[in-house]
Amino acid sequence: MTMPQPTMALPSRVVWILDRLEAAGFSAYVVGGCVRDSLLGVTPGDWDICTSASPEQTRQVFSDFRQILTGMKHGTVAVLCDGKTYEITTYRQDGAYADHRHPGTVQFVQGVEGDLARRDFTVNAMAYHPAAGLVDCFGGQQDLAARCIRCVGDPTVRFSEDALRVLRAVRFASQLDFTIDDATARAAASLRDSVQNVSPERIFTEIDRLLAGPAAGRVLAEYGEILAGAIPEIAPCIGCTQPGRWHCYDVWRHTAGAVDAVRKTLSPESARIVRWAMLLHDMAKPLCRTVGPDGAAHFPGHNQRGAQLADKILRSLRAPTALRLEVCSLVAVHDGPLPQEDPEILRLLARHGETWLERLCAVKQADLAAHARKPAVQAREQEVERFEKRMHTLARTGCYTLQGLKVGGGDVLAAGIRPGPEVGQALHTLLEDVMDGTLPNDRDRLLQELKLLADHTR
């Protein structure tokens, strides 16, 4: 099918770079993700440029600009203009991939078509020039219209060259809300174990981006077998049945549904933590699974064991420490009860803080949203809503920290309590009474209570 020739709006600085290369006698195009995004109506974050100029010739063309040369071995010169970095790469073809990640050698070529042939997916293998138009040798524009991720050439060859492409296929499907071409998906599944050749940090980054995509839930559900190459603990979750009293999915489809249900109103930091918590919250269920006399599956201790497994997985992926600690703390209690009375809620606020409790509520809501729609599940959802509403109110109006008390250490000393541990003990006694509701957080009343405490300590 013949696709219409598109017109793309390029930033003036990018057009200037293309023009300068052409004025020096070289051809040049914008290429890759910026072309894909532009055709999708998305403003690219970066503009990559490819050219027939060798790296040394590119350096000469832009000799009056600061350059970053760390990519020279692979033909890339980064030029700094107006505070932005533009990567300019010589048309190239890759040599053999000895380690399933990096080509042993690269060969510079004169035509853009040869450069596009080495790229991973058709939607990333397009180049554009304002005068020459779109160069699309592999049907990328058609695959964009079909919302499909398809390898350039033989998918088995593409994935054998670079194992990271296995994860990139799934990540792009989530980010773009695309499906994966059948042959590409089969090849990715067959080569999933090669992902272990990829550095843990890169695996974490790809999964992190996948989880942030608008189609994360659907993609997890459809391509869990591929992702098991990155996180082997996924495989036992696929097909692991759960009791029908609460659930309508196996463990993995429930996990995918829970990720999909993470609410959109969370801050970016909280959303990231909660998405990872939902991915990992039930990962230990296959390890804890027992079958009762009634034939129903049970998962005793899966919260605590899940936190341990989440810690192991996140450590293996070299995840940021702060994220790992937050995720594991949420997984450890994701299925536990929430108090409904003010003293207990205040103590939770004192122990964990409002942000953590908001994340816990988001975890519980996403978890329950991926359960069967039954009265018992809906009742739990209402409990979470009541708790969260009251928790936020108490966070604004209640007293649950020593800083919130209307008296301080100076008042304790003025009441006659000797300097030392007794000062802190007196303040904590007052705080406990305030949280219990037996003593108002009123300065006069608190001072009266301090005098009584001082009398008892004499």
Side-chain angles (χ1 to χ4, degrees):
M1 180 175 65
T2 302
M3 301 295 292
Q5 184 63 229
T7 300
M8 290 168 42
L10 274 57
S12 59
R13 179 57 81 178
V14 172
V15 174
W16 176 84
I17 291 173
L18 297 177
D19 289 345
R20 183 178 261 216
L21 285 164
E22 289 186 325
F26 307 106
S27 65
Y29 294 83
V30 293
V31 67
C34 61
V35 178
R36 177 198 69 226
D37 290 346
S38 295
L39 293 176
L40 289 172
V42 177
T43 301
D46 297 298
W47 292 87
D48 292 331
I49 296 157
C50 61
T51 180
S52 61
S54 70
E56 292 76 13
Q57 290 167 330
T58 298
R59 289 199 65 192
Q60 183 61 38
V61 171
F62 296 98
S63 60
D64 50 339
F65 287 85
R66 185 183 169 195
Q67 300 170 9
I68 300 173
L69 306 178
T70 52
M72 279 279 286
K73 183 174 72 171
H74 296 105
T76 299
V77 175
V79 176
L80 276 69
C81 300
D82 305 328
K84 290 193 65 175
T85 302
Y86 299 88
E87 291 193 347
I88 304 172
T89 303
T90 304
Y91 304 146
R92 74 182 203 208
Q93 291 178 336
D94 297 335
Y97 285 72
D99 60 355
H100 297 285
R101 267 300 282 126
H102 306 98
T105 60
V106 298
Q107 178 183 354
F108 300 137
V109 297
Q110 284 298 303
V112 67
E113 294 81 5
D115 184 90
L116 298 178
R118 71 177 176 83
R119 295 176 181 265
D120 51 8
F121 309 114
T122 61
V123 296
N124 296 334
M126 294 180 283
Y128 179 83
H129 185 280
L134 185 72
V135 180
D136 178 13
C137 310
F138 304 102
Q141 193 179 8
Q142 187 171 335
D143 283 341
L144 279 183
R147 306 184 69 80
C148 177
I149 301 297
R150 181 166 59 90
C151 278
V152 172
D154 185 338
T156 299
V157 173
R158 286 284 88 87
F159 293 137
S160 296
E161 290 172 340
D162 184 353
L164 181 64
R165 291 169 175 166
V166 172
L167 290 182
R168 280 169 59 85
V170 186
R171 188 254 292 179
F172 279 126
S174 174
Q175 282 190 323
L176 302 174
D177 195 6
F178 282 17
T179 59
I180 302 178
D181 163 73
D182 287 344
T184 298
R186 286 195 298 271
S190 68
L191 291 168
R192 70 180 187 182
D193 291 340
S194 67
V195 171
Q196 294 303 316
N197 292 293
V198 178
S199 71
E201 294 87 350
R202 290 302 301 269
I203 294 175
F204 173 83
T205 297
E206 290 299 319
I207 297 176
D208 196 41
R209 292 177 178 176
L210 184 162
L211 292 175
R218 174 185 62 80
V219 166
L220 289 172
E222 291 181 14
Y223 304 115
E225 291 186 359
I226 297 175
L227 291 170
I231 302 178
E233 291 83 358
I234 290 174
C237 297
I238 300 172
C240 181
T241 58
Q242 304 190 88
R245 178 189 174 196
W246 297 102
H247 290 277
C248 52
Y249 302 120
D250 68 12
V251 171
W252 182 243
R253 291 191 69 86
H254 164 76
T255 295
V259 170
D260 189 58
V262 173
R263 65 192 188 205
K264 306 300 187 288
T265 56
L266 294 170
S267 70
E269 180 183 6
S270 288
R272 185 190 195 199
I273 288 168
V274 172
R275 286 191 297 261
W276 274 99
M278 300 327 298
L279 177 70
L280 301 173
H281 78 288
D282 278 352
M283 204 73 81
K285 274 191 169 180
L287 301 175
C288 302
R289 191 175 191 273
T290 62
V291 178
D294 58 353
H298 302 277
F299 306 95
H302 82 277
N303 280 6
Q304 291 72 31
R305 195 161 183 185
Q308 296 168 1
L309 189 59
D311 184 74
K312 174 189 171 185
I313 291 170
L314 291 172
R315 284 181 184 274
S316 72
L317 296 179
R318 312 275 175 82
T321 300
L323 180 141
R324 174 175 58 81
L325 294 175
E326 282 285 291
V327 168
C328 294
S329 69
L330 292 167
V331 171
V333 297
H334 77 269
D335 203 29
L338 289 171
Q340 298 294 314
E341 300 299 324
D342 286 359
E344 288 78 12
I345 297 175
L346 286 166
R347 284 181 170 82
L348 282 180
L349 279 166
R351 190 176 307 125
H352 298 291
E354 184 179 11
T355 298
W356 188 90
L357 288 174
E358 180 183 53
R359 291 169 182 169
L360 177 61
C361 290
V363 163
K364 286 180 169 293
Q365 289 170 336
D367 187 12
L368 290 166
H371 279 62
R373 296 290 83 203
K374 295 191 175 182
V377 174
Q378 293 169 336
R380 285 191 177 183
E381 289 175 329
Q382 292 168 4
E383 288 177 5
V384 176
E385 290 173 6
R386 286 195 299 270
F387 170 85
E388 183 169 21
K389 183 178 180 180
R390 187 59 182 161
M391 181 271 294
H392 283 309
T393 297
L394 291 173
R396 293 191 307 271
T397 64
C399 176
Y400 54 93
T401 66
L402 293 179
Q403 291 77 11
L405 277 176
K406 297 296 178 64
V407 294
D411 298 309
V412 178
L413 294 173
I417 295 177
R418 292 174 298 179
E422 291 84 359
V423 174
Q425 292 169 4
L427 289 172
H428 279 287
T429 298
L430 295 180
L431 180 61
E432 289 293 322
D433 290 343
V434 169
M435 288 193 294
D436 280 334
T438 59
L439 182 67
N441 189 23
D442 174 81
R443 181 169 174 79
D444 290 338
R445 288 292 305 276
L446 292 172
L447 290 173
Q448 293 174 15
E449 191 66 21
L450 278 176
K451 291 178 181 178
L452 294 175
L453 290 173
D455 291 342
H456 285 303
T457 59
R458 291 193 181 101

